Amino acid sequence: DIQMTQSPSTLSASVGDRITITCRASQTISTWLAWYQQKPGKAPKLLIYKASTLQNGVPSRFSGSGSGTEFTLTISSLQPDDFATYYCQHYLTYSWTFGQGTKVGIK
Amino acid sequence: EVQLVESGGGLVQPGGSLRLSCTASGFTVSSNYMSWVRQAPGEGLQWISVIYTGGATYYADSVKGRFTISRDNSKNTVLLQMNSLRTEDTALYYCARSGFAAAATAVDWGQGTLVTVSS
């Protein structure tokens, strides 16, 4: 199975900050990578697919980049609604695997 | 509007069985890849099964041989039959619809149904 490793596991930031979350795949996955946001008690929400394509309705302050094994999610100016846990996920094969998550909290 | 509603969760003893349902509206389940993803309390997300439009099914190793995914096209529902349940199967179980082509990942999610395996 392909392993997905995110860093950091937790991140403290302030409103307006630019933050970056990194995701590494244990083998190349081209750009078959998605990013999700999850808030407590809620289902995950798709933010980005194909490594860099913004899902409909997702604010443009979110962006994704990378290919192969190294990927990043960037929030250009953190908003109060963005404090949540973020997961990367590969979908190269049917056996999806998710990163362990990055919890973004208030500094 | 796409909507997914899971049901069927509950408390079951180790070794027992449960059948989860995911009722869809706003689209046809047989025309989409449909998956189940679970999340243990306080933990991350784990993919467990998918059913393709052609009917092919796949499972995570942790549930292979114990769980069965299927569809009831007449009810526009995806099912997950869970047998020989273990305490480590305790989780919130989400149903998800995949998009197409570049977006062939979980685009829409239900709210989840909680399965607790305990004696």
Side-chain angles (χ1 to χ4, degrees):
Chain A
D1 282 0
I2 301 170
Q3 306 304 313
M4 307 300 293
T5 304
Q6 284 180 238
S7 60
S9 296
T10 59
L11 187 161
S12 294
S14 301
V15 172
D17 284 352
R18 177 184 180 91
I19 68 165
T20 298
I21 299 169
T22 298
C23 178
R24 289 187 174 87
S26 60
Q27 64 187 74
T28 183
I29 58 170
S30 183
T31 53
W32 298 109
L33 184 103
W35 289 97
Y36 295 87
Q37 176 194 66
Q38 187 178 34
K39 295 180 180 179
K42 299 294 186 180
K45 172 188 174 182
L46 178 65
L47 298 176
I48 288 169
Y49 61 91
K50 208 60 164 64
S52 61
T53 303
L54 215 58
Q55 172 68 343
N56 291 342
V58 174
S60 59
R61 63 181 180 271
F62 291 91
S63 64
S65 65
S67 66
T69 62
E70 299 265 340
F71 302 88
T72 59
L73 172 70
T74 299
I75 307 176
S76 60
S77 178
L78 201 64
Q79 298 302 300
D81 191 48
D82 301 338
F83 292 98
T85 299
Y86 294 85
Y87 294 93
C88 63
Q89 173 234 338
H90 90 79
Y91 55 107
L92 174 67
T93 67
Y94 61 77
S95 183
W96 301 341
T97 48
F98 295 83
Q100 80 278 17
T102 295
K103 185 174 183 179
V104 177
I106 301 172
K107 185 184 287 183
Chain B
E1 180 193 3
V2 169
Q3 192 171 14
L4 295 164
V5 179
E6 300 95 335
S7 61
L11 174 63
V12 62
Q13 292 187 337
S17 298
L18 275 179
R19 190 177 80 160
L20 306 185
S21 296
C22 169
T23 300
S25 57
F27 72 99
T28 303
V29 296
S30 60
S31 299
N32 290 258
Y33 294 178
M34 299 296 298
S35 300
W36 287 93
V37 175
R38 69 184 180 185
Q39 187 169 35
E43 301 295 321
L45 300 164
Q46 181 189 22
W47 170 84
I48 56 172
S49 186
V50 62
I51 183 164
Y52 283 173
T53 51
T57 58
Y58 299 95
Y59 302 90
D61 288 344
S62 58
V63 307
K64 200 174 295 182
R66 301 187 298 123
F67 290 12
T68 303
I69 190 171
S70 62
R71 285 189 305 240
D72 182 339
N73 294 339
S74 68
K75 296 180 179 178
N76 209 31
T77 295
V78 179
L79 304 166
L80 186 69
Q81 177 66 42
M82 305 188 297
N83 299 329
S84 303
L85 282 161
R86 306 167 179 167
T87 55
E88 56 264 36
D89 295 320
T90 294
L92 187 62
Y93 284 71
Y94 293 104
C95 169
R97 180 187 78 93
S98 289
F100 298 98
T105 186
V107 173
D108 297 297
W109 298 66
Q111 85 290 348
T113 186
L114 182 63
V115 172
T116 303
V117 184
S118 174
S119 55

